[in-house]
Amino acid sequence: MASTEHLHGDKYKIYVELGTDDYGTRKRRTKTVTATSARDLKKKALEFELECLNTPIENLETIKFNRFVDRWWSNHVQQYLTVGTQNNYSNHLKHVREYFGNMQLRKIKRFHIDEFFINEKNCGRKSETTKVTMLQSIFGKAVEWDILLHNPTQRYKLKHRTQPKKADVYTAEELELFFKLLDTEKTRNRIMLLAASLGALRRGEVLGIAEDVIDYKNNTITIKRSLNYDETKKEKYLGLPKGKKERVIVYPEEFMRELKLFAFSLNEKRYQHGDLWEKIDGVDLLFRTQGKVMHPNYFSQMWKKACGRMGLRVINLHSLRHSSATYLHRQGMDIKALQEFLGHAKYETTANTYVHVEESDMHKPADTFTKLL
């Protein structure tokens, strides 16, 4: 990234860090420029940075959309966004490029944005939300980098947008039945589903559990990583939990005893598989299939099959997290405490998305007022 130093008057020095060489010596290029304003300085710093990165210098006043997107991708997306977001953007960027590709960035107006989405609708293509978010990021960076004065997507709102669909959650009775029926599942599946439901964990958070985050003495598991899958590279990788914040979950003592026995039982399997025992980034994760760390999609498939075996109504695996959260709230857990338990950055996410109303709740006002009649 480029940094600047004021020398005197309108003279500035621009520094661009280029990492280190094979001997660990810092590589840096500098350039002294004359700048008439903060915006002019920022523009010249960006141009010099691109020059140092062996990117052909173009007139940023007339840069085409596709050329700018290349810069946005390398200087922002790959640097700061998660692999999951990169994969999501990559899946939909083709159609965005096809439409705006040869247009000058400065000449794209709100009118063109509207026409693009009309075209997408006529072609029967979905994922409108992702494309809006992506375009807002592209044009937002153009404003931040002083290439555009205004973001044509700044006030853009989705047409005919409906409320997000509520998760299909288990009622209190269904969730209680689920816990009883788990006794019929084999040990690994039972432990995984208990970890998910008792801790209201996300799929990747369950798969990211290893012995280094387990405290058997205090009956806790620290949620500090998530196992994910990169669709582009076709490989599993560890990342931070959603929200990038660690949290500690206190589990029932009975579950922790089961977990300890399960973890101990892996020692023999680890010895049998030898060098074929897979680790991810050097971490020996607990939940696996035939010595390999379990693929996140396999966990989802296992859940659906388990529902069939137990005779339970099939809901999404992530909806099990919603079900646990709703159950805890109905049992009296404060929303703020529930927010911390779930690892949400925003209170509104917990209150508006994770606490669901059951049909029986809709009868409570009438039942309450009946006493007054």
Side-chain angles (χ1 to χ4, degrees):
M1 298 296 291
S3 59
T4 60
E5 177 188 0
H6 183 216
L7 300 178
H8 55 82
D10 57 0
K11 299 291 184 182
Y12 296 84
K13 181 171 282 190
I14 304 173
Y15 299 88
V16 175
E17 304 295 339
L18 299 172
T20 58
D21 60 22
D22 294 338
Y23 300 97
T25 303
R26 185 173 66 174
K27 297 165 61 179
R28 182 169 68 174
R29 287 185 60 184
T30 64
K31 182 179 182 179
T32 301
V33 299
T34 299
T36 57
S37 65
R39 181 184 177 192
D40 185 37
L41 176 62
K42 192 172 184 180
K43 176 183 174 182
K44 290 179 177 177
L46 176 60
E47 289 177 343
F48 182 54
E49 181 181 0
L50 295 174
E51 177 186 332
C52 293
L53 295 173
N54 295 318
T55 306
I57 295 298
E58 295 181 60
N59 184 350
L60 296 180
E61 302 293 320
T62 59
I63 190 171
K64 300 290 183 67
F65 180 85
N66 269 343
R67 292 295 296 163
F68 179 78
V69 166
D70 291 338
R71 313 277 180 87
W72 166 76
W73 190 268
S74 60
N75 294 338
H76 173 64
V77 177
Q78 291 182 324
Q79 299 296 326
Y80 303 109
L81 302 187
T82 66
V83 174
T85 301
Q86 291 181 38
N87 288 337
N88 194 25
Y89 280 178
S90 181
N91 290 336
H92 304 292
L93 192 55
K94 174 185 175 182
H95 301 301
V96 175
R97 281 183 177 274
E98 286 176 351
Y99 191 86
F100 295 106
N102 291 320
M103 296 177 66
Q104 285 188 18
L105 193 69
R106 282 178 171 267
K107 293 185 178 180
I108 298 175
K109 307 299 181 184
R110 168 64 185 270
F111 168 77
H112 300 109
I113 306 296
D114 282 343
E115 278 203 332
F116 166 71
F117 283 107
I118 291 172
N119 180 69
E120 289 295 286
K121 182 179 179 181
N122 292 338
C123 292
R125 291 193 284 261
K126 299 182 180 179
S127 301
E128 185 180 3
T129 302
T130 298
K131 290 166 189 169
V132 168
T133 303
M134 184 163 53
L135 285 170
Q136 287 175 337
S137 175
I138 291 170
F139 289 106
K141 281 298 170 184
V143 172
E144 183 180 330
W145 292 336
D146 286 329
I147 298 173
L148 295 181
L149 289 176
H150 305 288
N151 182 343
T153 65
Q154 185 174 8
R155 294 184 177 87
Y156 194 86
K157 295 182 180 179
L158 297 175
K159 305 294 185 184
H160 311 299
R161 186 172 185 179
T162 59
Q163 289 291 335
K165 185 179 179 181
K166 291 282 188 179
D168 184 17
V169 301
Y170 282 152
T171 64
E173 293 75 17
E174 287 175 314
L175 190 64
E176 290 167 359
L177 177 61
F178 156 75
F179 283 112
K180 292 179 181 178
L181 294 174
L182 270 180
D183 286 336
T184 62
E185 286 295 297
K186 68 178 185 179
T187 303
R188 183 203 63 185
N189 295 358
R190 172 181 163 80
I191 294 293
M192 291 180 69
L193 293 174
L194 281 173
S197 54
L198 294 173
L201 302 187
R202 303 176 179 93
R203 180 179 69 175
E205 293 171 346
V206 175
L207 295 175
I209 295 175
E211 291 232 55
D212 67 316
V213 299
I214 303 173
D215 183 345
Y216 295 112
K217 181 178 179 181
N218 294 305
N219 297 324
T220 64
I221 297 178
T222 300
I223 308 304
K224 70 176 186 179
R225 56 177 167 251
S226 174
L227 179 73
N228 308 302
Y229 184 73
D230 187 335
E231 294 288 351
T232 303
K233 296 181 179 179
K234 305 298 180 185
E235 64 183 22
K236 291 167 281 192
Y237 68 96
L238 290 175
L240 294 173
K242 190 174 181 180
K244 302 180 181 180
K245 183 180 178 182
E246 290 186 13
R247 66 188 190 280
V248 178
I249 304 295
V250 181
Y251 278 90
E253 186 175 349
E254 181 180 350
F255 167 75
M256 295 300 290
R257 284 198 297 267
E258 287 189 53
L259 179 62
K260 188 173 185 178
L261 290 173
F262 172 75
F264 182 78
S265 71
L266 294 179
N267 289 333
E268 184 178 351
K269 295 179 181 178
R270 190 178 291 110
Y271 174 77
Q272 291 172 347
H273 284 84
D275 293 338
L276 298 178
W277 187 260
E278 183 184 23
K279 294 183 180 181
I280 306 293
D281 297 337
V283 180
D284 191 352
L285 300 170
L286 289 187
F287 304 117
R288 45 189 67 234
T289 53
Q290 301 299 320
K292 297 291 184 181
V293 171
M294 185 179 291
H295 192 293
N297 290 342
Y298 185 94
F299 187 11
S300 296
Q301 294 164 7
M302 179 266 280
W303 159 246
K304 290 181 181 179
K305 292 177 181 178
C307 287
R309 287 191 297 268
M310 293 185 287
L312 291 170
R313 179 166 60 90
V314 179
I315 63 173
N316 186 283
L317 177 58
H318 191 73
S319 293
L320 186 59
R321 170 174 157 87
H322 284 252
S323 300
S324 296
T326 300
Y327 185 84
L328 288 170
H329 180 61
R330 289 174 64 84
Q331 296 300 312
M333 188 172 188
D334 177 73
I335 289 283
K336 186 63 180 176
L338 189 58
Q339 176 194 347
E340 295 294 323
F341 181 72
L342 295 170
H344 288 153
K346 297 181 179 179
Y347 175 91
E348 293 77 14
T349 303
T350 308
N352 299 334
T353 306
Y354 273 75
V355 176
H356 299 269
V357 176
E358 293 187 6
E359 187 176 345
S360 59
D361 293 326
M362 303 306 294
H363 294 277
K364 288 184 178 179
D367 294 340
T368 301
F369 286 121
T370 296
K371 300 173 184 177
L372 302 180
L373 298 177

